[in-house]
Amino acid sequence: MLLAARELLAVRSPLDAELMVSDMLGAWWGRRLRGGDVEQILGEGLVDYAAKAGTPAALTLLISVAYLGTARQAAKAEGAALALMESDVARPRWADRVGAVKPAGCYVSRDVYGDQDTVVCTFAYNGEEEHALVVVVDYNMRGMARDAWVSSQVDKLLEQARLEAAVNPMLRFEEIEPKQARALLEFAMKATRDSLGRSAPRLVSDGYSAYHAFARSRIKALPPGRKRPAPPHSEAPYSRDRRAMLAAEFLASDAAENLSDPSAASRCADHIIDYGCDQDLGRPLRISPAKCETFLLDWLPRKVMLQPAEQEAMPHALAAWVRFAGPRAGLPEQGIRATLDAVWEATARFTEAYRDPTTFGLDRALVERLLPDGDLSALARRAFAFPMLQGVHGSIILDTLNPADEGDRRILLEIDHADERDRPDFDEHLAWHEEIAARLWEGDPPQLWEAAQRLMDLGHDRHEVLHLLIEIAERMGDHPDELAAALDDIADIPDEPSP
């Protein structure tokens, strides 16, 4: 990195330098390191290394990191840069202009569906070198910032956006207040940051990491707003009662009159409304082709256990919902037709994407005991926690025990450890198994099941995996962040794990 920083001495523009350093800092964005935070180990490590080097390239890098880095990186870089400048280390003329920008204007291009905002913020260095930061915010990904880039052709960029909106009735382009743009972008980048370690690097564009530090710093140059502006078509929060009233209104509407199975349609409506409220920033009435496809082909197959009648009714209920919600959300007829087309095109793929748990060879009654909340994503980890749920053990009929009940859980785990009853610490050991089983049941923390899967993929049996998870949980104690970090670090377990 420090060798690459020599190129900073040859550039003439602070903008070029900031973009180069942002690209450098993005080299590890979204990555995980075993044993620590990547921004601390690599980012702050780079600052410390540059401070010791004391070269002109190192000073130039430190000046840029003081503007572009995280709060801790920036503070360390600023102190180190001041020390080198006091030692008369040379720096290029543009170094004093790094980050010295003022916002010129902010704009947003959004589709009428409310799927996506493209936010354009323009800046200049004392009226010169005008440039635009462009950030794409995707509301089908819970408002994540999905892409970012920088353009120096500001006039051409804005004119193109205006022309596209003029010829496409499904697009809107407008100027917004800088503080509104800041609030929107801060929320979007936080949504992306909150997804780190799970899916953010996979969901964002390939170039997002290179512009992440630059975007973060430019957003801070905008005046602060009081709160994040509401996304398109948003409404007041939906309580359970309000959701039930909306479902009842839908089922009584003309749009739903041809649904042949009212009971299944009612349950489908509940899922559609819950998805809009919980996954789409409280917007159950917002519809779009992309949202409907994501609901049918991604969220339902992962998260919801549907009864056979619901599987059959769901595409028809969703199409009826489109006809019901579209006019209420103010969507043009062209948008409603396009969304209905997307629903019917996705219907055939839905029958392939949604796999009923009974197709895995599991009895439906067993699945319902493991999923009283209908959370299909929990099936594998709960079956791992409680593998003995059928048959007879002595006088106990396992089919009658409820793994969601604490008392029945104890009985199930005692049966699972019947060959260990003679160990002197049996009660304490079983209590730890209860703790791990409860955590796996709830999926808290998510890293617990992720670690268990990695260990099983390496060929370790279930009991070895459980014992290692117990050891880590016991060692970390009541420190959830440290527990999550320790579970992230698991790559393998000893050949002879402790009992």
Side-chain angles (χ1 to χ4, degrees):
M1 289 287 184
L2 194 55
L3 289 173
R6 294 177 180 177
E7 297 182 20
L8 294 171
L9 299 174
V11 303
R12 298 182 178 182
S13 162
L15 176 62
D16 291 339
E18 290 172 29
L19 291 173
M20 288 174 62
V21 175
S22 179
D23 191 12
M24 293 172 67
L25 297 179
W28 56 77
W29 179 85
R31 305 296 183 92
R32 284 181 172 180
L33 283 183
R34 294 186 63 200
D37 174 67
V38 67
E39 292 290 353
Q40 180 178 351
I41 293 176
L42 291 181
E44 295 178 33
L46 174 61
V47 171
D48 292 338
Y49 189 81
K52 293 177 182 178
T55 63
L59 174 57
T60 305
L61 177 61
L62 290 171
I63 291 172
S64 300
V65 174
Y67 172 67
L68 294 165
T70 65
R72 286 173 56 98
Q73 292 166 6
K76 296 185 71 172
E78 182 177 10
L82 289 173
L84 293 183
M85 285 188 285
E86 290 177 357
S87 300
D88 294 327
V89 176
R91 65 185 188 277
R93 294 180 179 179
W94 54 257
D96 293 335
R97 300 172 61 202
V98 167
V101 296
K102 291 184 178 180
C106 296
Y107 311 83
V108 63
S109 175
R110 55 174 46 122
D111 61 81
V112 297
Y113 295 112
D115 280 334
Q116 180 175 289
D117 284 348
T118 300
V119 184
V120 180
C121 298
T122 62
F123 302 87
Y125 298 88
N126 194 25
E128 300 178 349
E129 289 192 81
E130 189 176 16
H131 54 279
L133 168 68
V134 184
V135 180
V136 177
V137 180
D138 195 324
Y139 293 108
N140 289 314
M141 296 181 183
R142 306 195 73 174
M144 284 177 53
R146 184 173 57 81
D147 198 2
W149 67 91
V150 173
S151 173
S152 58
Q153 299 181 359
V154 176
D155 292 339
K156 182 178 179 180
L157 176 70
L158 295 177
E159 182 61 23
Q160 181 179 357
R162 292 189 182 98
L163 287 175
E164 288 180 352
V167 300
N168 187 346
M170 305 301 286
L171 285 179
R172 302 286 186 270
F173 182 76
E174 59 187 3
E175 186 170 5
I176 59 175
E177 294 183 3
K179 63 180 180 181
Q180 184 183 12
R182 174 169 177 165
L184 193 160
L185 293 176
E186 284 181 336
F187 175 87
M189 294 193 73
K190 181 180 184 301
T192 304
R193 185 171 65 250
D194 289 345
S195 298
L196 288 180
R198 300 194 297 276
S199 58
R202 176 174 57 85
L203 295 175
V204 300
S205 70
D206 292 339
Y208 180 83
S209 60
Y211 293 100
H212 175 262
F214 183 91
R216 178 182 59 203
S217 299
R218 280 297 188 269
I219 291 170
K220 293 179 181 177
L222 297 170
R226 293 183 178 180
K227 61 179 181 179
R228 178 184 67 86
H233 311 302
S234 63
E235 300 183 31
Y238 278 76
S239 64
R240 298 311 307 180
D241 288 344
R242 190 180 179 201
R243 297 185 194 194
M245 291 176 61
L246 182 59
E249 186 178 351
F250 162 65
L251 294 170
S253 69
D254 292 342
E257 64 179 355
N258 293 325
L259 297 177
S260 57
D261 187 339
S263 178
S266 176
R267 294 191 295 271
C268 290
D270 290 340
H271 295 313
I272 294 169
I273 294 170
D274 286 344
Y275 178 75
C277 291
D278 301 334
Q279 306 297 318
D280 191 26
L281 305 175
R283 299 182 293 175
L285 293 173
R286 187 183 79 84
I287 61 167
S288 76
K291 180 180 177 179
C292 289
E293 288 182 1
T294 302
F295 172 73
L296 272 182
L297 304 179
D298 180 57
W299 189 75
L300 279 175
R302 287 188 300 106
K303 292 294 295 181
V304 180
M305 185 180 72
L306 298 174
Q307 299 293 333
E310 297 168 30
Q311 297 173 39
E312 178 69 25
M314 182 57 77
H316 304 280
L318 183 57
W321 182 265
V322 170
R323 290 190 289 268
F324 168 77
R328 293 169 61 106
L331 190 65
E333 183 62 30
Q334 177 183 349
I336 295 174
R337 290 197 303 269
T339 305
L340 286 172
D341 289 343
V343 171
W344 296 128
E345 289 176 6
T347 296
R349 286 180 288 161
F350 172 67
T351 60
E352 299 174 359
Y354 188 87
R355 296 193 62 190
D356 191 304
T358 57
T359 64
F360 305 143
L362 299 176
D363 179 73
R364 180 164 291 277
L366 172 62
V367 173
E368 290 175 349
R369 288 162 65 201
L370 287 168
L371 305 179
D373 52 1
D375 184 0
L376 191 55
S377 65
L379 181 60
R381 69 172 188 267
R382 291 177 182 176
F384 174 79
F386 300 101
M388 302 178 66
L389 291 172
Q390 293 179 304
V392 178
H393 182 82
S395 61
I396 301 175
I397 302 175
L398 299 182
D399 299 70
T400 63
L401 298 178
N402 178 12
D405 178 80
E406 290 186 8
D408 286 358
R409 282 183 183 178
R410 175 82 181 191
I411 297 173
L412 289 167
L413 292 173
E414 286 179 348
I415 294 172
D416 193 24
H417 293 79
D419 58 347
E420 298 184 56
R421 286 184 175 276
D422 293 336
R423 58 185 293 168
D425 62 341
F426 178 74
D427 288 340
E428 180 182 356
H429 183 68
L430 195 65
W432 272 110
H433 273 282
E434 287 184 90
E435 169 74 14
I436 296 299
R439 286 182 173 274
L440 286 168
W441 184 272
E442 297 296 336
D444 180 28
Q447 291 86 351
L448 191 70
W449 176 231
E450 293 171 2
Q453 292 177 92
R454 289 199 302 273
L455 292 168
M456 287 188 291
D457 288 342
L458 292 169
H460 300 291
D461 67 39
R462 172 177 171 272
H463 226 57
E464 287 178 332
V465 173
L466 287 171
H467 284 171
L468 181 67
L469 297 179
I470 288 173
E471 290 176 9
I472 294 175
E474 189 174 8
R475 187 170 69 248
M476 294 298 104
D478 190 23
H479 299 284
D481 291 339
E482 294 182 13
L483 174 60
L487 291 167
D488 272 339
D489 288 345
I490 290 180
D492 204 346
I493 59 175
D495 292 335
E496 297 181 0
S498 58

